[in-house]
Amino acid sequence: MPSFETIDDIPPNSRVLVRLDLNSPIEDGEPQDNRRFSRHARTVQDLANAGHRVVLMAHQGRPGREDFTSLEGHAELLSSYLDRDVAFVGDVFGDEALGAIEAVDAGEVLLLENTRMCADELPEEPPEAKAETAFVQTLSAVFDAYVNDAYSAAHREHASLVGFPLVLPSYAGRVMVAEYEANTAITTRDFDGPVTMVIGGTKATDVIEVMAEVGDLVDRFLLGGVAGELFLRAAGHPVGTDVEGSELYDDQWERNHETIERVLEERREEIHLPTDLAYEDDEGERAEVMVEDVDEKTTAFFDVGSATVEAYAPKIRDSEAVFVKGALGMFEDERFAIGTVGVLETIGESDCFSVIGGGDTSRAITLYGLSEDDYSHVSIAGGAYIRALTGEPLPGVEALQKGP
């Protein structure tokens, strides 16, 4: 357990500044509901029920991007998970925000405007520099405590994440504690049986770095997605290349092939590659081909095949712990969900410690009616989860541990 205190340690009747991560897909200008709202709602509810005056801050998108927008809609969405309203003020730390903060009574909740609309927030700088910004200095003067519940953003050195812990008594929220404990289990826990990691997704660079760093902590890797094809390419199969309309493979191969080849050579017995792959045939239906029968890649592959799912199942059932990073196929299309859903179902049915990492992969649980209760932890983190798996420090967690 880390050395930070939790929200249960906050003195009574405090005015509390709480950092959440409510970053969401935006459609027609409105934030879309996702697992983050329901998860963070527990922290907010517990603080409000304890009689604290609760003020929230969060981000949405980045300046210049289409999803960079106000948090007004986020306040309404978050309130749907609480037994009280979430007020909103369209200001971060100016006079309007300070007035709204002063007006918050015990048990009430207020959400400030998008932190990334504040110039002090985004540049990556050391905590000491962030603590001196006008943003941090102004808000810290009117609060008794700071809570960081934004584990999924904890790999960033932004003012709202690393500045406040240096100037205010600081605490971990419910999400922060749960994510930290589950995601660091691979480096902090001892497992009696085999530890398996399922590797997939489209960002092969991230997961290849994980494979290179986890060393003896993982006993076997089950591959799919872009990473699976790139490792098949390294093993001499004519896949893992771009075809017309695809830009996922060649660039990532160029950047990572030396690492892929080294990891494959060093851990060949522990790395399990797809034996078949799925594609769209001329009739628009799912079709499968054995990897050994591919002479040339002429079409995109969107999933691992059924034989691969069957081969991976006993390896999962034999595991003491399973960590998932990335989907094995394009599961958003039901035709190509067999790999991802099949593996998730097997993990859910087995009696192992399991962490399902990354927002994209965890969406498959909801999309295909699986039960989150069947897994030890379903993470809402992406970049922070990657860092946790490799044992890299998270600035937001480190700042919280140091305190003022």
Side-chain angles (χ1 to χ4, degrees):
M1 181 64 191
S3 60
F4 43 64
E5 295 183 291
T6 74
I7 60 174
D8 297 319
D9 301 308
I10 299 175
N13 307 313
S14 293
R15 180 181 286 142
V16 183
L17 180 63
V18 187
R19 178 57 156 96
L20 309 179
D21 184 359
L22 301 178
N23 197 45
S24 307
I26 302 295
E27 295 181 10
D28 299 324
E30 295 296 327
Q32 301 303 295
D33 198 359
N34 60 55
R35 193 172 272 104
R36 289 177 174 174
F37 287 91
S38 59
R39 292 282 182 85
H40 286 304
R42 184 186 169 201
T43 296
V44 177
Q45 188 74 60
D46 286 353
L47 287 167
N49 286 347
H52 299 302
R53 288 163 286 171
V54 184
V55 179
L56 312 173
M57 56 182 176
H59 73 276
Q60 174 61 55
R62 280 180 176 268
R65 297 183 181 177
E66 291 185 4
D67 63 346
F68 182 62
T69 186
S70 170
L71 297 186
E72 187 170 5
H74 298 64
E76 183 177 348
L77 195 49
L78 181 61
S79 68
S80 69
Y81 288 97
L82 304 172
D83 61 2
R84 66 202 74 206
D85 291 335
V86 176
F88 173 76
V89 58
D91 186 23
V92 181
F93 70 100
D95 290 341
E96 186 180 1
L98 294 175
I101 292 167
E102 180 64 30
V104 175
D105 287 330
E108 292 185 341
V109 181
L110 169 71
L111 175 62
L112 303 178
E113 184 56 283
N114 189 343
T115 60
R116 292 183 176 177
M117 292 183 178
C118 164
D120 291 336
E121 168 73 342
L122 271 181
E124 297 265 355
E125 295 175 317
E128 293 76 14
K130 290 303 188 184
E132 294 298 323
T133 61
F135 171 33
V136 172
Q137 289 292 314
T138 301
L139 282 187
S140 62
V142 296
F143 284 95
D144 303 308
Y146 166 80
V147 172
N148 191 346
D149 207 34
Y151 179 89
S152 52
H155 57 301
R156 304 294 188 188
E157 285 189 305
H158 295 162
S160 62
L161 297 161
V162 300
F164 290 100
L166 298 190
V167 295
L168 280 172
S170 300
Y171 306 86
R174 305 297 188 209
V175 171
M176 175 65 74
V177 172
E179 291 275 5
Y180 182 93
E181 290 181 343
N183 297 342
T184 58
I186 197 168
T187 58
T188 59
R189 288 183 56 164
D190 292 325
F191 296 103
D192 295 331
V195 175
T196 296
M197 181 171 288
V198 179
I199 294 288
T202 59
K203 298 178 182 178
T205 299
D206 290 344
V207 295
I208 290 165
E209 290 176 359
V210 171
M211 293 179 68
E213 293 294 329
V214 291
D216 296 334
L217 297 172
V218 174
D219 299 294
R220 60 170 75 102
F221 297 92
L222 311 180
L223 270 62
V226 173
E229 280 201 57
L230 293 180
F231 270 82
L232 284 170
R233 179 173 176 174
H237 298 282
V239 298
T241 57
D242 287 327
V243 293
E244 185 177 353
S246 169
E247 298 179 351
L248 290 172
Y249 296 92
D250 290 340
D251 179 63
Q252 294 194 74
W253 171 260
E254 185 63 30
R255 286 184 283 140
N256 299 289
H257 73 90
E258 291 181 356
T259 302
I260 294 171
E261 290 163 347
R262 173 175 58 81
V263 171
L264 185 62
E265 181 179 358
E266 292 174 352
R267 311 196 67 171
R268 187 63 187 90
E269 296 302 313
E270 301 155 24
I271 294 174
H272 300 271
L273 303 176
T275 57
D276 58 343
L277 298 166
Y279 62 97
E280 182 181 50
D281 66 16
D282 293 339
E283 283 73 47
E285 300 295 328
R286 177 189 175 103
E288 299 183 351
V289 61
M290 299 302 294
V291 171
E292 61 185 20
D293 293 333
V294 178
D295 296 321
E296 179 185 2
K297 183 177 180 181
T298 58
T299 186
F301 297 114
F302 299 114
D303 194 12
V304 298
S306 304
T308 300
V309 178
E310 291 179 10
Y312 286 175
K315 297 176 175 60
I316 291 170
R317 296 191 189 102
D318 181 49
S319 300
E320 181 74 14
V322 179
F323 294 83
V324 178
K325 183 61 185 88
L328 297 189
M330 194 174 67
F331 68 84
E332 296 87 349
D333 185 328
E334 190 173 357
R335 296 172 300 170
F336 303 110
I338 289 175
T340 302
V341 175
V343 164
L344 288 176
E345 286 178 336
T346 302
I347 295 170
E349 293 164 359
S350 65
D351 185 22
C352 67
F353 177 85
S354 57
V355 179
I356 313 302
D360 285 345
T361 311
S362 64
R363 277 196 301 117
I365 294 174
T366 302
L367 192 60
Y368 290 95
L370 306 179
S371 175
E372 192 170 320
D373 294 337
D374 290 336
Y375 310 95
S376 303
H377 183 69
V378 178
S379 178
I380 57 174
Y385 180 57
I386 288 287
R387 286 207 182 189
L389 292 177
T390 59
E392 288 187 59
L394 296 170
V397 173
E398 289 192 323
L400 200 59
Q401 291 172 322
K402 292 176 182 178

